[in-house]
Amino acid sequence: MAGASISSDKWVLDADLEGQKEQQTLKKRSWRNTLAMTYAAIGVVYGDVGTSPLYVFSSTFTEKIPTETDVLGAMSIIFWTITLIVVVKYMLIILMADDNGEGGTFALYSLICRYAGIRPANNGVPDASDVTLTHYSRHSGDNSSKSLSRRISWKLKQFLATRVGAQAALLCLVLLMTSLVLGDGVLTPAQSVLGAVYGLQIKTSVSEGVIVGISIAIIVCIFVAQRFGTSRVGACFAPIVLIYFLCNLIISITNICRYNPTIFKTLSPHYAYYYFRDNRHLGWVQCSGLFLAITGTEATYADLGHFSKTAIRISFLAICYPVLVLTYLGQAAWLTAFPDQVRSTFYASIPFGDGFFWFVFVFATAAACVASQAMISAAFSIIKQSMALGCFPHLTVLHVSKKVAGSIYIPEVNYIMMVLTVIVVAVFRTTVQLGNAYGVAVSGVLFGTTVLVYLVMLMIWETNFFLATAFLLFFGFIDLVYTTANLNKVPHGGWFALAIAGGVFSVSFLWWWGTHTKLKGILGSQMKMQDLLMPGPAHNSKKDDSVSPDGDESSHEPLAGAEASPNSPTNAIEPVDNPKQEIVSAAAVNGFRDDLKLTSTGQTLVRIPAVGLMFADTLYGAPTLLPELVNRWGAVHKILVILTVRQVAVSTVMEKERLLFRKLPYPGIYRCVARYGYRDQVRMDNKFVTKLLDKVVEVDPSVAPIVQQANSVNTSYIVSFIKLFAKKAGGTGVKGIGGAARRFCLEYLYGNMGRFARKSWEDWSIPHGSLLEIGVALDV
């Protein structure tokens, strides 16, 4: 990550990172594509929420056999919860808060960071080359405006941009939300599969142990199949869910006609009032079971990038919503006649004999597998995005589909989730017991999403303050009712999901803190390029673009604007109107000269006839490895590209827009920034090197013969492994218990995590024979 800002007028090959979004949007607007995406979304997006009827009523009425009033009230609550939370909150409002077509918690975070003028993961201000992009930011607010909304927007942006504590709190909220999703994600396959397989007890005499064993076998198969990818079986998801929905419609319409045709009266909210009036505290506690009707709702927003708003809305409002409402109405009608069979509501209510029963059983089990698959894929995506933001140790990421960029497989996450899911099934054994643990974490995610969208309303949309606050209070109240009700599950199994979420959050926060501390240490000990190297007498020795290592120049960067501040140290170099023309002229007269000396001793450095790619964590000053290379070996590559891989607060970056390039005033040394979105895969293979060398020749034609010669030699990839040591008490370190805790966290916890974690560059397709890793000790 970069520690300083880039002035966009000094970089060659700069471009709008998101110009491709217009083309993608146009493709999504065609009705043919919209209908195709609508069909696909039914299987991918709504598998989880669609399988909720398997266990909602059985997980709600666990204390006693429900009365008819209880059933009617519960039905009314389910209907209005789905209508208000899914239809109004998500379909009509939250889907509007997209990050150039992407959805999910990280998309919301990226969106807020861009408009607040801060870098993701609390890494300071954004770069000038980013904030001036066409789609990067819009209105920056106006403190002098008469509009209350604009003044609030401006003040909120200023608050986030200037308060490190506020930025850290925002990041912690995002990490907590994603950790909670992973916490309940372990329970989703268990609840869905176990709820489907339990139908065997209706028609057979199999024991509970057999059902648990079959469920575990199915779960293991689901996780083992992940390594093969889901692109082939993904085409089956939609027809499976559609057939499952059709079965639910047949069952529901039949039961409504047979047992209670007046069940539609429960759509009136006064039945919900009667429910709470009669049950009081128990009614509030039972909301934790009714909440399961909307688990999986986050997928409607998280999967937005794979589809479109129109496709998501059509698939839910035209198909999933009416089917779900009728399914619950049918179950409620049946329960009014057979309340004592509430624990097996779904399967016991199936009419038409054994043949239809087994048909429904097969497709209900298949739909449960689809719901499990969606959650597992979401877990992979969340971990990958966390790694991209520097908030999770690097793990092995395998791309299992050549056609679908987002189809990934992370073996470590997959098998940890598999083990935990098997443990959950073996311990809880029934959907009733499992229902006591399920839903605790996801209810917190819904509230967190409400808070983030409230920030988007005030800061980006500039919504009327009172209207935005009404949104927060109304939906926040509903979210908190379900969240507090779910807290009653904690002693009965909800602690399991919270423990997993707490573990994931601890790892994420510790890794972010350690990485952030390392970057600050690098900036604090960094040398300026002119203090390390100087060109030979044949070269003009003007200063380079380095700045003071403390990184204070970032505070001068404007919140949002096209140019760097005049006070910014990035103006140490005078802009060149046409740098390529200047380089060509010099090359034509003098040719390429590789004279380079150490500033401290005047020693002339040996130039290795090869290309070196030296990875740096910062955008300015000498990379951590460069002093080691030149001081100890007295040599440097004839062509040395200082390369910074930088996370940009967008979802994806086109290949032609990926690189920023600059020639430094030292012969054969260049600085390059490779920009990647949080959904992109970093690749540094031979194809990337070829493109990079083409850019070198384009910027500095005088080195063309050197590039041709270097092409026959292996390119060296020079990376660092930095081991952190906490400064001892008595110096500038922290004394006492705080210092000991800091040293323990840095040297033992973070250090061992880094030792066992996969290095980021190990997934960059770097040829192993060309890799040079150098260890560096750093006191922080």
Side-chain angles (χ1 to χ4, degrees), residues 440-494:
V440 176
V442 169
S443 59
V445 176
L446 296 184
F447 178 72
T449 302
T450 300
V451 173
L452 291 179
V453 173
Y454 176 66
L455 292 178
V456 170
M457 284 181 163
L458 292 179
M459 192 168 63
I460 302 172
W461 296 348
E462 297 179 355
T463 306
N464 179 278
F465 173 75
F466 300 103
L467 186 61
T469 304
F471 166 84
L472 176 66
L473 295 177
F474 180 75
F475 288 106
F477 172 76
I478 297 176
D479 294 338
L480 287 177
V481 167
Y482 281 119
T483 300
T484 53
N486 275 300
L487 290 178
N488 289 286
K489 294 180 175 181
V490 173
H492 307 289

Side-chain angles (χ1 to χ4, degrees), residues 57 70 171 275 375 566 570 748:
F57 280 111
D70 293 337
L171 176 64
Y275 178 82
M375 188 62 244
T570 59
Y748 295 97

Side-chain angles (χ1 to χ4, degrees), residues 230 366 442 474 483 546 645 723 746:
T230 59
V442 169
F474 180 75
T483 300
S546 55
V645 177
K723 183 172 178 58
L746 274 178

Side-chain angles (χ1 to χ4, degrees), residues 21-63:
K21 289 296 180 182
E22 294 182 3
Q23 297 179 356
Q24 294 179 2
T25 302
L26 290 175
K27 289 181 180 179
K28 288 185 175 182
R29 283 177 182 171
S30 70
W31 277 107
R32 178 176 297 179
N33 287 332
T34 298
L35 292 177
M37 287 187 290
T38 298
Y39 173 75
I42 294 171
V44 176
V45 179
Y46 300 115
D48 191 359
V49 71
T51 54
S52 293
L54 289 169
Y55 44 76
V56 168
F57 280 111
S58 62
S59 298
T60 300
F61 299 110
T62 58
E63 300 290 332

Side-chain angles (χ1 to χ4, degrees), residues 367-505:
C369 295
V370 171
S372 304
Q373 175 60 57
M375 188 62 244
I376 296 169
S377 299
F380 294 158
S381 178
I382 288 172
I383 295 297
K384 180 178 180 292
Q385 292 174 5
S386 296
M387 290 190 292
L389 288 174
C391 298
F392 204 85
H394 289 277
L395 304 174
T396 304
V397 179
L398 303 177
H399 291 257
V400 292
S401 174
K402 295 181 179 179
K403 297 181 179 179
V404 183
S407 183
I408 59 174
Y409 169 64
I410 304 179
E412 298 90 338
V413 175
N414 184 68
Y415 290 114
I416 289 175
M417 287 185 66
M418 182 183 73
V419 171
L420 292 175
T421 304
V422 168
I423 291 174
V424 165
V425 174
V427 171
F428 290 96
R429 302 184 72 83
T430 68
T431 55
V432 175
Q433 295 298 323
L434 193 54
N436 289 330
Y438 190 43
V440 176
V442 169
S443 59
V445 176
L446 296 184
F447 178 72
T449 302
T450 300
V451 173
L452 291 179
V453 173
Y454 176 66
L455 292 178
V456 170
M457 284 181 163
L458 292 179
M459 192 168 63
I460 302 172
W461 296 348
E462 297 179 355
T463 306
N464 179 278
F465 173 75
F466 300 103
L467 186 61
T469 304
F471 166 84
L472 176 66
L473 295 177
F474 180 75
F475 288 106
F477 172 76
I478 297 176
D479 294 338
L480 287 177
V481 167
Y482 281 119
T483 300
T484 53
N486 275 300
L487 290 178
N488 289 286
K489 294 180 175 181
V490 173
H492 307 289
W495 59 267
F496 188 84
L498 294 181
I500 296 175
V504 174
F505 177 80

Side-chain angles (χ1 to χ4, degrees), residues 718-734:
I718 309 170
V719 299
S720 64
F721 176 75
I722 300 177
K723 183 172 178 58
L724 301 183
F725 293 92
K727 293 180 179 178
K728 304 295 183 182
T732 57
V734 181

